[in-house]
Amino acid sequence: MINMFNDSKLNLHLDIGCASGDFLFDLALINTHWNYLGIEIRERLVKTAKLKVKDRKIKNLYFVFGNANNILSDEQSKFVFENLKSISFNFPDPWFKKRHYKRRVIQQDFINELSNSLQKGSLIFIKTDVKDLFDYMDYTILNNLNFKKIEKKDFNFSESFNPNKVQTNREKYVIINKLDVFEGIYIKND
Ligand SMILES: C[S@@+](CC[C@H](N)C(=O)[O-])C[C@H]1O[C@@H](n2cnc3c(N)ncnc32)[C@H](O)[C@@H]1O
């Protein structure tokens, strides 16, 4: 995972479950002073996204194939955390059946691992259209006492990874269909 970006010193944003990466392409093209990294478990989507990055010669965008839960505990990815400023979980799979809950991306162990690796001031953004899933993710993140919630109205997006509030594909669909979007922003305090 070395040399993912032209300038590895830029602030880094990580999008977990990035699907085809359209959201990150939109962000990377506008905000050239940020690096963007997407992790996606569907290999075909990652292969296509990587080819697109190469074709378009985009230097601040990188995609990794795999299960986010495993990848972040990988020894090789430790250096990612050096410049990592924020992580987004946009519309992760709801896994409606109870026996599938253990497949959810946000798990207590995963949040605790992130908490150990993230620098003070790092941010986690979550969005979903499923209220129960939102409640579960919100509870799991706040159950780790290193994270505190920031009210959206008090948050200054202009200096974030997404100053123009670019929407993900799922978010566009949800908004067009007049469904609710539940979202939370959390900061690592200690
Ligand atoms: C409903 S889609 C949302 C895609 C995109 N974030 C959006 O908002 O349009 C959820 C994505 O997360 C991916 N995903 C689910 N579990 C994952 C995991 N453990 N690691 C990486 N990606 C995962 C799925 O393959 C899928 O592409």
Side-chain angles (χ1 to χ4, degrees), residues 89-96 101 104 106-107 111 124-143 148-152 180-186:
F89 295 87
N90 291 312
F91 303 87
D93 291 337
W95 306 119
F96 290 110
Y101 281 6
R104 284 174 166 174
I106 290 194
Q107 302 279 347
I111 292 299
I124 294 180
F125 296 79
I126 62 168
K127 279 186 191 173
T128 178
D129 50 316
V130 182
K131 177 73 167 70
D132 285 353
L133 179 62
F134 175 80
D135 290 342
Y136 161 80
M137 295 194 288
D138 184 65
Y139 174 84
T140 307
I141 296 170
L142 292 176
N143 201 32
K148 297 279 170 292
K149 200 163 185 170
I150 304 181
E151 291 306 319
K152 194 180 164 192
D180 290 324
V181 177
F182 304 97
E183 54 183 299
I185 307 172
Y186 309 84

Side-chain angles (χ1 to χ4, degrees), residues 31-74:
N31 310 307
T32 48
H33 57 295
W34 276 78
N35 286 330
Y36 295 92
L37 173 62
I39 297 184
E40 170 54 50
I41 205 165
R42 286 185 285 170
E43 189 169 21
R44 187 182 52 79
L45 295 182
V46 175
K47 279 188 175 159
T48 310
K50 278 179 169 247
L51 285 175
K52 232 163 102 179
V53 169
K54 208 171 160 195
D55 281 357
R56 298 183 187 183
K57 301 187 171 58
I58 303 173
K59 305 292 184 198
N60 61 332
L61 178 57
Y62 197 88
F63 292 97
V64 172
F65 156 65
N67 184 334
N69 299 92
N70 304 332
I71 277 185
L72 292 183
S73 53
D74 187 337

Side-chain angles (χ1 to χ4, degrees), residues 153-168:
K153 62 176 173 41
D154 301 329
F155 186 74
N156 179 6
F157 279 88
S158 67
E159 286 174 13
S160 75
F161 78 100
N162 189 1
N164 303 304
K165 298 190 187 171
V166 169
Q167 294 170 349
T168 75

